[in-house]
Amino acid sequence: MKTNNFLPILGCIIFLLLTSCSPEDDIKNPDFNPLVFSEDFSKGAIDNTILNLEGWSNIAEVGNAKWKTQIHSGNPYAEFSSYQSNDAVNIGWLISPAINMDAVEGATLQFRANQSYVSSGANSLEVFIATDYNGNNLTTANWQPITAKLPTTSSPYFEYVISGEIDLSSYTGKINIAFKVKGSGTNTTLDGSYQVDDIRIYTKQ
């Protein structure tokens, strides 16, 4: 007698589709609970344009290069590159909106970043926090460096490095997170790119 194997096979396929996830899903949608602040640069994203998001500051401190929105394989992210800027020195800042830390306890920061064609430590990515940035005082605000895992010159190109969980529990009031890149458009050893994505501030329960 013939048996009908179609329904069990269909059931297995549906189960696999519902329970499987890609490595990127693990990075982009971890169990951040509750989520205090997030940015994945997808809102209104247009590839290869100057990044312009409400509340964010995109500042060329030295030179003309600014952070851009880039999209690869459908994934938007923020990128800073000195390549073809024609500036001897580029320093670009990407600063988050003000985030109220009084509304949360035990907050944690996490993001991911990668590099492409960075061959010198002087072509650097740094991350800072300030409690006194007002949108106009870039050079006088008290920027405190954040210790995080960041891509290095030996990191594979375009391979994201997870920052690790950065403790923000000591901060009160409003803070801004800043990403700062130094490079050069005339020195080919300093014209690499950095990409930043999936910034999350959350509390762990």
Side-chain angles (χ1 to χ4, degrees):
M1 182 177 67
K2 293 182 179 179
T3 58
N4 189 347
N5 293 321
F6 176 75
L7 289 178
I9 292 173
L10 179 61
C12 289
I13 292 172
I14 293 173
F15 176 80
L16 290 172
L17 289 173
L18 292 176
T19 59
S20 63
C21 61
S22 68
E24 185 173 356
D25 290 334
D26 291 337
I27 294 172
K28 293 179 70 63
N29 299 299
D31 187 19
F32 295 145
N33 183 27
L35 191 61
V36 178
F37 173 83
S38 67
E39 185 59 70
D40 61 9
F41 303 102
S42 61
K43 185 176 181 180
I46 301 175
D47 190 36
N48 199 34
T49 59
I50 299 298
L51 193 150
N52 183 19
L53 283 175
E54 183 177 358
W56 285 80
S57 300
N58 185 359
I59 302 172
E61 181 185 2
V62 180
N64 296 302
K66 288 190 173 185
W67 287 78
K68 289 185 175 183
T69 299
Q70 300 285 4
I71 303 174
H72 177 69
S73 297
N75 177 58
Y77 52 88
E79 178 182 85
F80 187 91
S81 176
S82 294
Y83 181 64
Q84 293 185 336
S85 72
N86 297 318
D87 298 317
V89 178
N90 289 114
I91 301 178
W93 292 74
L94 184 63
I95 306 172
S96 77
I99 303 161
N100 185 8
M101 303 303 290
D102 289 340
V104 297
E105 292 184 4
T108 297
L109 167 68
Q110 189 174 112
F111 60 90
R112 60 179 187 150
N114 69 49
Q115 63 94 349
S116 53
Y117 309 104
V118 174
S119 58
S120 169
N123 188 182
S124 61
L125 169 65
E126 300 172 279
V127 189
F128 298 91
I129 288 182
T131 58
D132 60 346
Y133 177 66
N134 62 19
N136 298 303
N137 60 338
L138 174 67
T139 59
T140 58
N142 183 23
W143 295 106
Q144 297 294 318
I146 293 175
T147 300
K149 296 177 182 176
L150 297 173
T152 67
T153 55
S154 60
S155 299
Y157 295 168
F158 303 108
E159 184 172 302
Y160 278 105
V161 174
I162 307 300
S163 66
E165 294 187 322
I166 301 159
D167 183 13
L168 302 182
S169 60
S170 64
Y171 288 91
T172 58
K174 293 182 179 179
I175 66 168
N176 296 84
I177 310 295
F179 298 88
K180 177 184 179 182
V181 174
K182 297 177 183 177
S184 171
T186 59
N187 184 339
T188 57
T189 64
L190 301 176
D191 65 354
S193 304
Y194 284 98
Q195 295 80 33
V196 174
D197 201 1
D198 299 320
I199 304 164
R200 305 285 187 264
I201 295 179
Y202 57 97
T203 59
K204 296 190 292 184
Q205 294 182 336

